[in-house]
Amino acid sequence: MIPTLGTLTLAVAAVACVAVVISSLSAARFDSRGALRAARWGLVGYAALITIASAFLVTALLQSDFRLEYVASYTERALPTGYKLAAFWAGQQGSLLLWAGMIAWMSAFAAWSRSSNRGLGEAVTLGVLAVICGFFACLLLFAANPFEVVAGAVPADGRGLNPMLQDLAMLAHPPTLFLGYAGFAVPFAAMAGALAERRTDARWLVDIRRWVLFAWLALGIGIIIGAWWAYIELGWGGYWAWDPVENASLLPWLTGTALIHSMIMQEHRGVFKRWNVALLAATFILCIFGTYITRSGIVSSVHSFGESLVGTFFFVFIIVLLIGSMGIIAWRWWLLAPQRRLASLLEREGVVLIANVVLVLMMLITLVGTMLPVITRTFMPNEITVDQSFYNRIVAPMGLALVGFMALAPALVYGQQAGRRLGRGLIVPVVAAVLVTALVIGLGVRNVWALLAAFFAALAASAVAVNFLHSLRMERAHAQVGWVSAAARLLDSNHRRWGGFVVHLGIALIVIGFAWSSLFPEKTTHQVTPGQTFDVGRYSLTFKDLEEQRRENYTAVVAVVAAVLPDGTTIDVSPERRFYDKAEESSAQVAVRSGLREDLYLILAGWEAGGKVVALQAIINPLTIWIWIGTGVLTLGSLICLAPRIGKAAGVALNGGKRHAEDITKDMRAPATNRSSADTGEREDSRTSPRRPHRPVLEPASAAMFNPADSSPTRLSTGPA
Amino acid sequence: MTRIRTKLIVALLIVGGAVAYLVQAGVRGGWVYSMDADAFLQRTEFHDRRVRLSGKVAWENVESNPASLMAKFDLESNDQKVPVVYRGPIPDMFRPGHDVVIEGRLDAEGVFQADVLLTKCASKYDEASPHGEGETMMEADQ
């Protein structure tokens, strides 16, 4: 039943996409509202069908229906239920179904959330979404059908899930990553619609900025969860190996990061229009390209998947997307001319432009490095690969330079005076960063990369702190409220500015974690007998015994190790080696004890003489935990950006009713005063009513906005003079 | 306006120059030729360089000692074999008959000294799972 129904559902879904394409074309041609509504309903129908197909696969997985090749390949009866579910995205077909499902729901949601949009642009947007959805439906149907039936007799038990994938992070990593990939489809389609409709102002960017930020956030979290998974599961002590599959997910994140920043410039200033559409197209195509690299096995990688028809499908689709995007951008090239020119390299646009160039170069270098084996294999007698040091020597220093640009952000303003203000705003942060760096040198660190990382991270953090404190003081004086409510008002006054700076703080923490854990890990190997005590860094470890334990679907050989921490407490750090029933090899399960200062990372490397001698590899990874903490901060910051403004009512509530009514009325009058000049950037939302993001957007080139004399509000953003 | 354009070009040239400098440093250090084991035996010009070799772990002469972080084996492709000594943590999936990628250089005795050993962890992802059952597990039996 399920195999037939599943395949049938996919076929109907593919037909639904064709229908949506046809109805959006006719909506575009005849300006028909009915056709547009049909296209919307069609996308929702497609999402429902993909959901039904997914439900079939979930049912088959949970019921261990081994008639399905996919179920037999990736599960077994003894697998815990959670991992049976996770097996949904363990293999090629299932993970493509997940991708398709994510895109389907995003498209359906976009179709409805934009349901007030009409006309040619919306028809094109829906049509492009339907083409993307249709590609996945056809891919599933013809090249990667998860409902394929096993050849021959139905096996009594499945082959089991890859032990490496039997980890909690596995439940979260692929869906989050795919959510990010799929999230960029909607802005991409909206771009096609806006260009078709000749809408090259910033309004369409305002429509999609939450989508872009959401996709960027999901992609970033997905990448970091993947790194964490590698850290605790692959057992080599690191979290990032510049593997092609890892690089593939990094590429769209880099262009997405550039896009988030340059979109703001277009919104405020009407510049970078061509750059933005190109970045957005590149980001989505790189998402598809990342899946292509992962799923086609074109670059031999430690993750490689089998080569198949899937690769061809993706290759053709990428070519179509490339030609289509370049065509539509070229078609509207002259409409995308900038509305004003750069006034100074030290104003926001200048710095964002240079940082964007660095981001795009990072992406290109990573792309070339990743594809080099394929390029050289095709065009040269010898295949050339690059190892990790290639990326560490090129991309890592560029990343550090970016942190330097990031540190300038709080002190940056628009306009002619920007350079001078930047200098003034940076005095205190530079002093703070120099002090921090001196302190780090005092602690004995001499590595120049570590010192640079410390300097830039401290600069970034103190620039944000100084700017926030300064604005807080102004806010407090202006509103005559307490520190806490002033802080709340300030944060709420401009979510994107302060949320963005919280993201920057998160990045600074992550960079410190990257720098220390990759520059200063201490690896030691110990051959020990039961009862023996040995020292690793500041820890005293005692190997007690080697135990065998039977668990759900594997047997674990556990080296029971007790560690005495520097503060005298004893904890259990017992690395394992697991022999899964259905796996040919054993797999290591590391023991990690994370602390704010360092991680103690223990691997059971092997044993001799029936367990009388055990080899343990110990790694002290300094500051690794700050990568994960920084990711939490980054997520918090992005959520602040995404959250709608709470507004005046909340301000009153936060204030505990201390404010007088006249203050409130004064605030309500505030929009009339010209405080929210776009020149300040950060104040543009602050004194206006909550629903007024369009004002600076529609007319970014009006003369009043970059009048150098109009500088009074700008003081707010530059820190102490 | 032209002044700002000149400044911009200069700034981009500086960025480009810095990146070009990094790239050439990266290429010098991180650029590795890779080939199959049999091709490597033929091409003596690569015998004094760091290279990346791919092939299968030959069935005979495999000595793997995870406790001392060392493995000796022959890397085989097209019936030609390169003797290899690898030092480092033995990956979970290292076993005879599996495809591996190693990185290192040939020593004076004609033994390839490897410090990188990558196994293709793909058996569960591939279309087919061709390996037989019941072989000994490298780590467990010693």
Side-chain angles (χ1 to χ4, degrees):
Chain A
M1 243 340 230
I2 281 184
T4 327
L5 280 178
T7 309
L8 192 68
T9 315
L10 289 178
V12 178
V15 174
C17 287
V18 176
V20 174
V21 172
I22 292 172
S23 56
S24 1
L25 281 177
S26 56
R29 179 72 184 80
F30 305 110
D31 196 17
S32 147
R33 285 197 179 186
L36 203 59
R37 213 170 58 197
R40 284 207 172 94
W41 276 111
L43 278 177
V44 174
Y46 170 77
L49 286 165
I50 293 290
T51 310
I52 292 169
S54 307
F56 281 137
L57 187 59
V58 168
T59 313
L61 285 166
L62 290 182
Q63 292 180 342
S64 292
D65 187 345
F66 297 127
R67 285 174 303 165
L68 262 67
E69 177 68 43
Y70 191 79
V71 179
S73 296
Y74 298 104
T75 62
E76 58 178 315
R77 289 189 196 281
L79 199 64
T81 309
Y83 291 132
K84 280 186 182 172
L85 267 178
F88 190 105
W89 48 81
Q92 174 148 283
Q93 295 87 341
S95 52
L96 289 174
L97 181 58
L98 180 69
W99 228 117
M102 299 260 181
I103 285 222
W105 277 111
M106 296 263 185
S107 305
F109 182 71
W112 282 104
S113 67
R114 297 159 56 93
S115 60
S116 58
N117 291 10
R118 308 238 178 274
L120 175 70
E122 194 58 15
V124 171
T125 303
L126 295 177
V128 169
L129 284 174
V131 167
I132 298 168
C133 289
F135 163 75
F136 278 97
C138 293
L139 180 71
L140 286 166
L141 200 55
F142 299 115
N145 188 345
F147 300 103
E148 197 91 25
V149 184
V150 286
V154 175
D157 199 1
R159 290 198 282 275
L161 185 64
N162 186 334
M164 298 218 194
L165 306 186
Q166 299 193 29
D167 184 277
L168 271 184
M170 176 60 193
L171 291 171
H173 168 58
T176 325
L177 201 63
F178 288 163
L179 200 60
Y181 281 172
F184 280 112
V186 174
F188 176 78
M191 176 194 85
L195 288 181
E197 213 177 33
R198 303 177 155 268
R199 256 172 50 193
T200 60
D201 60 25
R203 194 168 15 181
W204 71 276
L205 283 181
V206 174
D207 279 351
I208 62 160
R209 65 185 187 196
R210 284 213 162 89
W211 282 100
V212 171
L213 192 59
F214 171 77
W216 176 86
L217 174 65
L219 190 57
I221 294 177
I223 292 171
I224 294 286
I225 294 177
W228 180 61
W229 175 30
Y231 185 61
I232 56 172
E233 193 61 32
L234 295 185
W236 55 279
Y239 40 79
W240 189 263
W242 295 105
D243 180 83
V245 171
E246 294 169 341
N247 292 353
S249 60
L250 183 66
L251 299 174
W253 189 85
L254 290 172
T255 51
T257 309
L259 176 65
I260 285 177
H261 291 88
S262 61
M263 266 170 73
I264 301 175
M265 299 304 113
Q266 178 171 350
E267 239 177 78
H268 290 169
R269 308 289 270 173
V271 292
F272 301 159
K273 292 184 175 182
R274 292 167 181 159
W275 181 251
N276 280 332
V277 289
L279 271 181
L280 179 51
T283 304
F284 178 64
I285 293 173
L286 284 171
C287 288
I288 300 287
F289 179 73
T291 320
Y292 170 62
I293 287 190
T294 317
R295 295 292 146 182
S296 68
I298 183 164
V299 185
S300 106
S301 142
V302 285
H303 294 252
S304 73
F305 298 86
E307 282 185 45
S308 67
L309 186 59
V310 173
T312 319
F313 257 83
F314 269 104
F315 186 74
V316 172
F317 189 51
I318 288 169
I319 299 292
V320 169
L321 286 175
L322 265 178
I323 294 174
S325 321
M326 288 198 289
I328 197 161
I329 292 171
W331 184 32
R332 297 298 189 218
W333 186 252
W334 299 112
L335 276 179
L336 290 165
Q339 277 159 291
R340 61 180 294 278
R341 289 191 191 155
L342 219 54
S344 153
L345 267 190
L346 294 174
E347 67 174 333
R348 270 199 194 170
E349 294 149 76
V351 176
V352 164
L353 177 63
I354 292 174
N356 264 13
V357 168
V358 174
L359 276 165
V360 169
L361 285 174
M362 280 168 85
M363 183 278 286
L364 286 175
I365 288 166
T366 310
L367 178 66
V368 169
T370 308
M371 296 307 287
L372 199 64
V374 182
I375 300 166
T376 50
R377 198 189 300 154
T378 316
F379 298 107
M380 288 162 71
N382 293 304
E383 184 180 320
I384 297 172
T385 34
V386 292
D387 62 16
Q388 291 190 34
S389 70
F390 172 83
Y391 300 101
N392 289 339
R393 284 173 202 210
I394 306 175
V395 182
M398 290 170 80
L400 209 50
L402 270 182
V403 179
F405 288 122
M406 193 180 88
L408 305 181
L412 285 174
V413 290
Y414 295 113
Q416 301 274 0
Q417 307 292 314
R420 213 149 40 89
R421 295 218 191 93
L422 176 64
R424 275 192 314 210
L426 279 179
I427 295 171
V428 177
V430 166
V431 171
V434 167
L435 288 177
V436 169
T437 314
L439 183 72
V440 174
I441 295 175
L443 289 172
V445 176
R446 294 290 179 274
N447 183 298
V448 66
W449 292 113
L451 293 177
L452 278 173
F455 178 81
F456 283 137
L459 187 67
S462 52
V464 169
V466 164
N467 191 260
F468 182 74
L469 288 177
H470 183 73
S471 302
L472 186 61
R473 230 175 44 218
M474 302 288 287
E475 176 71 29
R476 195 166 163 265
H478 168 75
Q480 303 198 328
V481 291
W483 290 108
V484 175
S485 50
R489 285 166 56 105
L490 188 62
L491 280 180
D492 195 40
S493 71
N494 196 336
H495 282 224
R496 285 162 76 201
R497 177 178 176 85
W498 299 113
F501 288 162
V502 173
V503 171
H504 282 188
L505 288 179
I507 297 274
L509 292 178
I510 292 173
V511 163
I512 291 296
F514 279 163
W516 257 256
S517 62
S518 59
L519 291 169
F520 309 116
E522 290 166 27
K523 293 188 187 187
T524 47
T525 312
H526 308 266
Q527 286 199 349
V528 288
T529 51
Q532 195 177 335
T533 299
F534 56 103
D535 284 345
V536 176
R538 304 181 299 138
Y539 307 88
S540 171
L541 273 59
T542 307
F543 167 60
K544 292 188 170 157
D545 201 6
L546 200 63
E547 282 176 8
E548 202 173 291
Q549 295 172 9
R550 177 67 203 170
R551 304 200 191 127
E552 272 142 327
N553 55 342
Y554 61 92
T555 306
V557 175
V558 185
V560 182
V561 178
V564 180
L565 305 183
D567 63 4
T569 49
T570 305
I571 55 159
D572 168 71
V573 273
S574 300
E576 307 174 4
R577 206 150 257 283
R578 292 179 176 175
F579 297 86
Y580 282 84
D581 302 342
K582 293 293 158 72
E584 294 154 14
E585 301 86 3
S586 69
S587 56
Q589 185 74 18
V590 300
V592 185
R593 199 270 170 187
S594 289
L596 292 182
R597 188 166 152 181
E598 63 201 10
D599 283 9
L600 171 64
Y601 188 98
L602 217 54
I603 308 157
L604 175 56
W607 54 86
E608 285 172 353
K612 295 284 185 290
V613 182
V614 164
L616 294 168
Q617 195 178 25
I619 307 175
I620 300 288
N621 273 325
L623 301 183
T624 311
I625 202 172
W626 293 97
I627 300 171
W628 326 127
I629 294 177
T631 307
V633 174
L634 180 150
T635 309
L636 176 73
S638 308
L639 291 178
I640 293 176
C641 293
L642 286 169
R645 205 177 154 197
I646 300 162
K648 298 280 183 272
V652 175
L654 280 170
N655 205 28
K658 266 184 241 157
R659 269 170 77 201
H660 296 295
E662 57 190 68
D663 285 338
I664 299 170
T665 40
K666 191 172 78 190
D667 257 18
M668 290 174 69
R669 279 201 312 272
T673 69
N674 195 19
R675 291 183 53 92
S676 59
S677 157
D679 227 327
T680 62
E682 90 278 15
R683 301 300 285 188
E684 45 112 3
D685 289 340
S686 62
R687 296 290 152 194
T688 55
S689 64
R691 292 278 161 225
R692 281 192 58 192
H694 292 281
R695 193 199 48 79
V697 167
L698 296 180
E699 298 295 339
S702 78
M705 285 174 141
F706 43 96
N707 177 3
D710 180 26
S711 61
S712 52
T714 325
R715 270 211 334 271
L716 286 169
S717 67
T718 52
Chain B
M1 282 305 142
T2 45
R3 237 185 75 230
I4 185 70
R5 176 154 291 191
T6 322
K7 272 195 201 165
L8 185 65
I9 289 170
V10 170
L12 290 179
L13 279 179
I14 292 171
V15 171
V19 171
Y21 170 76
L22 288 173
V23 166
Q24 66 88 23
V27 164
R28 230 176 350 160
W31 195 272
V32 184
Y33 283 90
S34 51
M35 56 201 77
D36 288 339
D38 58 314
F40 177 69
L41 287 174
Q42 257 96 67
R43 312 191 57 164
T44 48
E45 71 265 32
F46 289 109
H47 287 190
D48 56 348
R49 304 174 65 156
R50 190 177 166 84
V51 289
R52 178 183 278 220
L53 301 184
S54 36
K56 268 189 187 2
V57 180
W59 284 97
E60 304 83 28
N61 301 328
V62 182
E63 256 181 69
S64 159
N65 193 343
S68 58
L69 301 177
M70 210 259 272
K72 285 183 190 173
F73 58 95
D74 291 340
L75 188 73
E76 181 179 4
S77 71
N78 288 328
D79 292 328
Q80 305 215 34
K81 290 177 186 171
V82 179
V84 180
V85 173
Y86 162 75
R87 279 165 227 278
I90 316 285
D92 293 337
M93 307 221 178
F94 174 78
R95 55 205 296 269
H98 265 197
D99 286 323
V100 293
V101 174
I102 55 171
E103 217 175 285
R105 63 170 71 218
L106 209 60
D107 69 6
E109 276 85 56
V111 178
F112 195 87
Q113 300 285 340
D115 50 26
V116 173
L117 172 60
L118 301 171
T119 50
K120 299 203 177 175
C121 73
S123 70
K124 291 281 163 182
Y125 286 95
D126 279 341
E127 301 299 314
S129 185
H131 306 291
E133 300 92 47
E135 285 109 13
T136 51
M137 289 183 180
M138 304 283 325
E139 294 85 353
D141 57 1
Q142 293 166 14

